[in-house]
């Protein structure tokens, strides 16, 4: 047993816990700023991928408001009508890793310049992971939580549906929490 | 380092795929989660007789507030991440098994604290509950996994030096 090495881990843990509340506060109060590019990118990607279903993805504070168009027909004789369905997606559910990662970097004993570079690179990776997670969440809501008429335009094979379900679970339960510490 | 990282990814993905199967869920995960609810209720009943538990649900008999422990809140995923990290790192199997046993115990102990705090936070403030549930405790549990792993690394490192 070498006490100085064990106390280094303890010092690191305490330092992370010291920085964590501040990082969470800054993360939350600046969340509107980083949700904006997420909304823009997802709007471009999702409306291009499913133009007959997804009308718009826009920012609503620190949430995303997703607008879908659904064709409804009460009977074979009635006129089909188009309805707009809206739901909120929650990007912060996939972005809390930014606060933890920032606290880990701040607690690191490396040079400030190296820490800054590492932080920026890490943020970019966490941003990509957050985009994947939010996309998986939106697809999960459209396919599994909405009325059949909503998900109908997403005409996928059973394997694709299972992949979407696994992707949602993996991004929410695995990628998002593990990425900051990895 | 790359070998460890690739090994970690392979093991963690494999463990999660197995954990996601219906057989694993019904035979292990759900009963384990029910056990967590029962354990939490037993602890709380020592000073709060109004608390009850049924399967994965814990409720307060007076306020009728209830929470269910779902995937992501039973400490299973965090334990799997820790098991994958320890298994992927080159060390004696005896050291790995000790690390996994102590580490999983630590993660589950902290998870009990999470469930208890969320149970009372939810009765006090929905906003605070959501915040703690979705963001803060998720980060703290993963931080716990990292710290436990770092302590294990130092333990095996110091074990090598004393031999």
């Amino acid at each position: 047993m070498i006490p100085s090495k064990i106390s280094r881990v303890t010092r690191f843990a305490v330092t992370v816990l010291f920085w964590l509340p501040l990082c969470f506060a800054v993360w939350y109060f600046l969340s509107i700023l980083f949700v904006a590019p997420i909304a823009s990118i997802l709007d471009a990607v999702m409306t291009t991928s499913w133009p007959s279903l997804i009308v718009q993805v826009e920012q609503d504070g620190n949430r995303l408001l997703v607008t879908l168009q659904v064709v409804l027909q009460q009977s074979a004789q009635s006129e089909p009508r188009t309805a707009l369905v809206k739901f909120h997606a929650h990007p912060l559910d996939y972005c809390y890793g930014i606060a933890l990662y920032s606290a880990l970097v701040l607690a690191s004993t490396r040079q400030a310049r190296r820490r800054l570079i590492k932080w920026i690179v890490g943020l970019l990776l966490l941003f990509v992971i957050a985009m994947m997670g939010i996309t998986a969440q939106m697809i999960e809501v459209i396919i599994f939580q909405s009325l059949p008429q909503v998900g109908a335009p997403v005409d996928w094979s059973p394997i694709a549906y299972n992949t979407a379900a696994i992707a949602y679970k993996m991004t929410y339960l695995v990628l998002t929490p593990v990425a900051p510490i990895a | 380092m790359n070998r460890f990282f690739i090994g970690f990814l392979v093991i963690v993905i494999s463990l999660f795929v197995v954990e996601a199967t219906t057989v694993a869920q019904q035979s292990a995960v759900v009963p384990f989660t029910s056990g967590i609810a029962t354990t939490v209720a037993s602890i709380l009943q020592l000073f709060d007789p109004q608390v009850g538990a049924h399967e994965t649900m814990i409720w307060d008999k007076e306020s009728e507030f209830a929470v269910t422990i779902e995937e992501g809140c039973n400490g299973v995923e965090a334990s799997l991440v820790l098991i994958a990290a320890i298994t992927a790192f080159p060390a004696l199997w005896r050291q790995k098994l000790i690390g996994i046993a102590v580490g999983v115990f630590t993660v589950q102990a902290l998870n009990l604290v999470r469930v208890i705090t969320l149970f009372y936070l939810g009765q006090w403030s929905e906003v605070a509950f959501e915040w703690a549930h979705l963001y803060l405790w998720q980060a703290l549990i993963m931080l716990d996994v990292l710290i436990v792993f770092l302590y294990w690394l130092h333990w095996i490192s110091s074990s090598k030096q004393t031999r």
Side-chain angles (χ1 to χ4, degrees):
Chain A
M1 288 280 210
I2 302 174
S4 62
K5 282 196 175 177
I6 291 176
S7 68
R8 242 170 62 186
V9 178
T10 306
R11 266 201 307 272
F12 175 72
V14 170
T15 310
V16 173
L17 288 172
F18 171 77
W19 282 114
L20 203 55
L22 177 66
C23 291
F24 261 113
V26 172
W27 163 79
Y28 189 74
F29 287 112
L30 294 181
S31 58
I32 290 177
L33 295 178
F34 59 79
V35 169
I38 292 174
S40 301
I41 294 170
L42 283 178
D43 185 44
V45 169
M46 301 298 270
T47 54
T48 306
S49 302
W50 290 292
S52 60
L53 174 64
I54 300 175
V55 174
Q56 191 179 22
V57 178
E58 57 186 321
Q59 184 178 4
D60 182 18
N62 56 19
R63 298 181 297 177
L64 299 177
L65 183 62
V66 183
T67 305
L68 311 173
Q69 64 178 7
V70 183
V71 177
L72 300 169
Q73 192 170 15
Q74 280 190 314
S75 65
Q77 291 77 33
S78 62
E79 283 278 323
R81 290 181 161 204
T82 302
L84 292 181
V85 177
K86 299 189 181 205
F87 69 90
H88 278 109
H90 304 272
L92 294 195
D93 292 357
Y94 300 89
C95 296
Y96 63 84
I98 292 172
L100 175 59
Y101 182 67
S102 301
L104 290 170
V105 170
L106 284 167
S108 163
T109 53
R110 295 189 173 200
Q111 284 181 338
R113 188 170 167 271
R114 284 189 75 178
R115 281 196 275 171
L116 181 63
I117 294 168
K118 200 175 179 78
W119 183 69
I120 291 170
V121 171
L123 277 191
L124 290 172
L125 285 170
L126 290 175
F127 184 80
V128 169
I129 289 169
M131 295 285 301
M132 290 166 59
I134 300 157
T135 305
Q137 185 189 68
M138 287 168 57
I139 293 172
E140 192 265 345
V141 170
I142 292 169
I143 295 176
F144 298 111
Q145 292 191 37
S146 305
L147 294 171
Q149 297 93 325
V150 174
V154 181
D155 189 20
W156 285 349
S157 64
I159 291 176
Y161 282 121
N162 283 327
T163 306
I166 291 169
Y168 170 70
K169 192 170 169 171
M170 287 294 285
T171 50
Y172 185 67
L173 294 177
V174 183
L175 267 184
T176 301
V178 173
I181 63 172
Chain B
M1 190 63 173
N2 285 339
R3 220 171 126 189
F4 162 71
F5 194 64
I6 291 167
F8 167 73
L9 281 178
V10 168
I11 296 170
V12 83
I13 290 170
S14 305
L15 287 174
F16 271 94
V17 168
V18 169
E19 188 251 351
T21 60
T22 311
V23 171
Q25 287 288 315
Q26 288 178 349
S27 62
V29 178
V30 172
F32 178 74
T33 308
S34 299
I36 293 174
T38 306
T39 305
V40 167
S42 302
I43 295 170
L44 293 180
Q45 281 162 0
L46 294 173
F47 54 90
D48 188 353
Q50 298 298 322
V51 174
H54 175 66
E55 293 181 349
T56 60
M57 184 172 13
I58 307 165
W59 75 89
D60 184 89
K61 294 167 194 169
E62 194 178 330
S63 65
E64 295 181 343
F65 175 81
V67 292
T68 55
I69 305 173
E70 302 286 344
E71 261 186 321
C73 295
N74 52 15
V76 169
E77 287 78 17
S79 299
L80 293 181
V81 170
L82 181 63
I83 290 169
I86 290 177
T87 307
F89 197 86
L92 300 173
W93 272 105
R94 184 182 147 269
Q95 291 172 325
K96 292 185 187 190
L97 289 171
I98 292 172
I100 287 169
V102 173
V104 170
F105 176 79
T106 311
V107 168
Q108 291 302 325
L110 187 64
N111 195 56
L112 290 180
V113 175
R114 163 162 68 171
V115 175
I116 291 170
T117 56
L118 288 177
F119 180 68
Y120 285 108
L121 262 180
Q123 294 179 63
W124 175 64
S125 163
E126 192 180 334
V127 171
F129 171 83
E130 291 293 327
W131 230 91
H133 174 229
L134 293 174
Y135 314 133
L136 186 61
W137 269 117
Q138 297 282 69
L140 288 176
I141 290 289
M142 292 318 296
L143 179 62
D144 180 45
V145 168
L146 175 65
I147 297 302
V148 166
F149 183 65
L150 290 176
Y151 272 120
W152 179 75
L153 286 180
H154 281 291
W155 175 65
I156 63 171
S157 168
S158 59
S159 297
K160 275 183 196 166
Q161 288 183 359
T162 52
R163 265 191 269 126

